[in-house]
Amino acid sequence: MPDFSDTLVDRLAEADHVAVLTGAGISAESGIPTFRDPGGLWDEFDPQELANVEAFLDNPELVQGWYRHRRQVVVEAEPNAGHQALADLEAHVPSLAVVTQNVDNLHTRAETGTVIELHGNITDNYCMDCERAVGAEAVDVAIQEGEPARCPDCEGLIRPDVVWFGEMLPADAMARAEAVTERADVFLSVGTSAVVHPAAQLPVAAREQGAYVAEVNPDTTGVTDDVHETIRGPAGDVLPALVDAVAARVDV
Ligand code: BJW
């Protein structure tokens, strides 16, 4: 049985607003590698070589190919018990928002109502020059032909609709994330190493603004010292047990 406190269950059962920040760890049990864990995406590649615009311009085929591979993994993955538990939690609290750093669409596919994507969505692509949206098939065809994928209108390079280091997060998503953080009575940080900013600042801001803050992670993170409690374990075990406990408390 995961080791969470009665205080957390009580606070969730009494909360008007719950906000949850998620990272790659929540999708690990769906078979999508995290970034920084052993065996993760960046064991093989230096993030500075792939997840920034200079790397893309230096070698667009390499970066487009890497994202195409990851898109295929994501499309074949299914939401797991952790994603499902957060979607289920919506039935037991008046308002719930999931703020995700993940680009894998799995919260939406688990039918969570409010999902705020901070780092974009890997299934979308757009032209760097004219910014028109371009379907993934165009990228697939070009890469199979050994060419960088280019815009059918203006020949600009096609890039994934994700946020790379040094780029601003989508302003509307960041504003919504800050608003739900400020409102939150309870804030959960799930499956993130909490080292990438500005997302990593949200659990800290939530606590400063009065929320009860808990993290769910098998390991220590950048915000472990800032939260009220840490529940050590995989999200797919911890979240269903936590949501069951909240449901039992709410239904009493
Ligand atoms: C489990 C589990 C299981 C395993 N259950 N858990 C302030 C201070 C210092 C630096 C900065 C700052 N503000 C801005 C910066 C610069 C930079 C930054 O943060 N750098 C730091 C790394 C030093 N940030 C930016 O550049 C951001 N832009 C920005 O701020 O613009 C304004 C600005 C620009 C320049 C200067 C200053 C300001 C943009 C950040 C974009 C991040 N993009 C990426 C790639 C997205 C595209 C892609 O998918 O390829 O986003 S990087 C990568 O890290 C990805 C993730 O969303 C993000 C976070 O990773 P996450 O999700 O936490 O994964 P992991 O792998 O790190 O952790 C997994 C966790 O799961 C672990 O803890 C495991 O234990 C756990 N786990 N199994 C639960 N079953």
Side-chain angles (χ1 to χ4, degrees):
M1 181 70 176
D3 191 14
F4 44 78
S5 71
D6 286 344
T7 306
L8 176 59
V9 177
D10 288 343
R11 293 290 185 107
L12 280 165
E14 291 159 8
D16 288 325
H17 298 288
V18 177
V20 186
L21 173 68
T22 65
I26 195 168
S27 296
E29 291 158 85
S30 294
I32 300 176
T34 64
F35 293 90
R36 297 172 183 82
D37 289 315
L41 285 169
W42 289 346
D43 260 8
E44 200 177 340
F45 292 106
D46 177 350
Q48 306 308 330
E49 277 179 31
L50 294 178
N52 68 71
V53 74
E54 291 78 19
F56 177 68
L57 293 174
D58 274 358
N59 195 340
E61 281 172 78
L62 174 70
V63 178
Q64 287 173 342
W66 189 58
Y67 278 96
R68 176 175 179 252
H69 164 71
R70 288 179 50 206
R71 190 171 66 242
Q72 286 167 339
V73 171
V74 158
V75 166
E76 284 166 19
E78 295 293 335
N80 64 52
H83 300 103
Q84 195 55 56
L86 291 181
D88 294 346
L89 182 58
E90 280 184 322
H92 305 294
V93 295
S95 119
L96 175 92
V98 172
V99 179
T100 190
Q101 298 167 86
N102 298 344
V103 297
D104 60 26
N105 220 24
L106 291 184
H107 288 298
T108 301
R109 286 177 54 201
E111 301 190 0
T112 297
T114 302
V115 181
I116 301 169
E117 293 175 327
L118 288 182
H119 292 167
N121 191 313
I122 202 169
T123 55
D124 299 331
N125 296 275
Y126 68 95
C127 169
M128 280 187 82
D129 291 349
C130 72
E131 298 187 356
R132 74 163 264 189
V134 179
E137 321 74 54
V139 179
D140 294 346
V141 170
I143 291 173
Q144 275 160 3
E145 289 172 355
E147 300 286 335
R150 291 187 176 277
C151 176
D153 282 351
C154 76
E155 290 287 303
L157 285 166
I158 304 300
R159 60 163 287 175
D161 191 358
V162 299
V163 181
W164 285 324
F165 283 116
E167 295 184 326
M168 300 301 287
L169 277 62
D172 57 336
M174 194 58 214
R176 290 176 68 208
E178 286 169 343
V180 299
T181 299
E182 190 177 340
R183 258 204 315 268
D185 304 303
V186 179
F187 189 102
L188 304 177
S189 179
V190 180
T192 176
S193 58
V195 295
V196 174
H197 292 263
Q201 189 55 33
L202 295 175
V204 178
R207 182 163 183 167
E208 286 169 359
Q209 288 154 6
Y212 187 82
V213 183
E215 75 170 352
V216 177
N217 202 304
D219 285 320
T220 303
T221 77
V223 296
T224 297
D225 291 341
D226 299 300
V227 302
H228 290 98
E229 76 179 83
T230 292
I231 306 146
R232 292 258 173 262
D237 289 350
V238 172
L239 292 176
L242 181 61
V243 173
D244 283 351
V246 174
R249 191 73 49 98
V250 169
D251 294 344
V252 164

